[in-house]
């Protein structure tokens, strides 16, 4: 494994799914709600390739990243029906192999909608991509917005998961359904482990100074 994880952080592998372009981002999130950039990439396939080869490409990319970076959680963009049926099907197929790879390794999966990501990162659920990119650069202390857009979207998704309670070890979207109607599983059973309890206490303690000290708005809308 490469990319040594900072002490006191939880590692998020975020995925903006797609067969043509699948964005992957790895970010280490702390209980103090700071994020550290680790890795970003866009993997994909060409439309003329056989479907089984396209799906395999995404699966292999996801598995390689899980083995390389050992994430604590996988955060996936939650997809809804669109008018473009082929795009929806391709996105669902890419999502399926990613979450299967996570399940095989016992890694919990969380789901976040695009509007949830925008609200968490910018404070505005209808923010445009440029606004999201600017905040991602600021939050993760990057020199420039990552390219292409799929990479930036995955990084924003990772930050969203950290700021919506996912770093506490629980699925932030456990009460919602996915695009296919199933319900995401909680990270581990019905009770927090001692480590998760300690993390939650640290996270709660970190919020109080921020509320009093005028920290930057983090858009924690419900």
């Amino acid at each position: 494994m490469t990319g040594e994880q900072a002490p006191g952080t939880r590692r998020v592998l975020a995925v903006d799914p797609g067969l043509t372009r699948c964005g992957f981002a790895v970010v280490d999130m702390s209980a103090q709600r700071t994020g550290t950039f680790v890795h970003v990439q866009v993997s994909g396939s060409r439309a003329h390739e056989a479907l089984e080869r396209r799906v395999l490409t995404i699966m292999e990319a996801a598995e390689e990243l899980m083995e390389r970076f050992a994430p604590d959680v996988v955060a996936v963009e939650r997809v809804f029906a669109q008018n473009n049926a082929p795009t929806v099907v391709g996105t669902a197929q890419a999502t399926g192999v990613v979450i299967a790879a996570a399940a095989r390794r016992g890694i919990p999966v969380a789901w976040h909608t695009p509007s949830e990501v925008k609200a968490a990162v910018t404070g505005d659920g209808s923010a445009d991509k440029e606004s999201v990119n600017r905040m991602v650069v600021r939050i993760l202390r990057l020199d420039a917005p990552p390219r292409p857009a799929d990479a930036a979207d995955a990084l924003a998704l990772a930050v969203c998961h950290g700021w919506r309670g996912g770093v506490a070890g629980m699925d932030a979207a456990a009460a919602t359904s996915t695009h296919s109607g199933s319900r995401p599983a909680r990270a581990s059973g019905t009770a927090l482990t001692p480590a998760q309890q300690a993390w939650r206490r640290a996270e709660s303690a970190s919020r109080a100074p921020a509320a009093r000290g005028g920290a930057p708005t983090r858009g924690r809308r419900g």
Side-chain angles (χ1 to χ4, degrees):
M1 184 187 74
T2 59
E4 184 176 352
Q5 186 171 350
T9 64
R10 288 182 63 82
R11 178 158 289 180
V12 181
L13 169 60
V15 185
D16 180 29
L19 287 182
T20 302
R21 293 182 305 277
C22 189
F24 295 94
V26 182
V27 174
D28 289 345
M29 298 296 300
S30 76
Q32 288 71 38
R33 300 186 177 276
T34 59
T36 301
F37 171 85
V38 178
H39 177 79
V40 70
Q41 73 180 56
V42 176
S43 301
S45 58
R46 298 180 183 275
H48 69 267
E49 295 181 78
L51 177 60
E52 62 269 24
R53 297 301 307 176
R54 302 187 72 189
V55 172
L56 179 62
T57 295
I58 302 304
M59 184 182 73
E60 289 178 337
E63 291 185 329
E64 191 274 333
L65 290 171
M66 291 177 197
E67 292 296 324
R68 181 179 174 190
F69 294 105
D72 297 297
V73 64
V74 173
V76 183
E77 182 175 283
R78 187 168 160 229
V79 181
F80 295 95
Q82 303 173 25
N83 293 328
N84 189 341
T87 299
V88 173
V89 172
T91 300
Q93 290 164 335
T95 299
V97 295
V98 169
I99 64 176
R104 176 182 293 173
R105 292 162 176 77
I107 304 171
V109 177
W111 307 83
H112 303 282
T113 67
S115 60
E116 288 172 345
V117 173
K118 293 174 183 178
V121 174
T122 70
D124 180 0
S126 61
D128 58 30
K129 283 187 176 291
E130 287 304 314
S131 298
V132 173
N133 288 349
R134 284 195 298 270
M135 287 304 299
V136 167
V137 168
R138 177 182 176 188
I139 293 164
L140 299 178
R141 302 175 298 280
L142 304 177
D143 294 330
R147 299 288 184 225
D150 308 86
D153 290 345
L155 282 172
L157 179 63
V159 172
C160 169
H161 180 75
W163 283 1
R164 288 183 66 87
V167 291
M170 299 297 290
D171 181 0
T176 66
S177 60
T178 69
H179 63 279
S180 56
S182 62
R183 295 206 177 265
R186 292 184 181 274
S188 56
T190 58
L192 295 177
T193 66
Q196 290 168 349
Q197 291 172 5
W199 186 276
R200 176 156 289 182
R201 287 194 297 270
E203 185 182 27
S204 297
S206 72
R207 294 175 187 171
R212 294 192 302 267
T217 299
R218 293 184 170 94
R220 289 184 54 78
R221 296 185 180 179

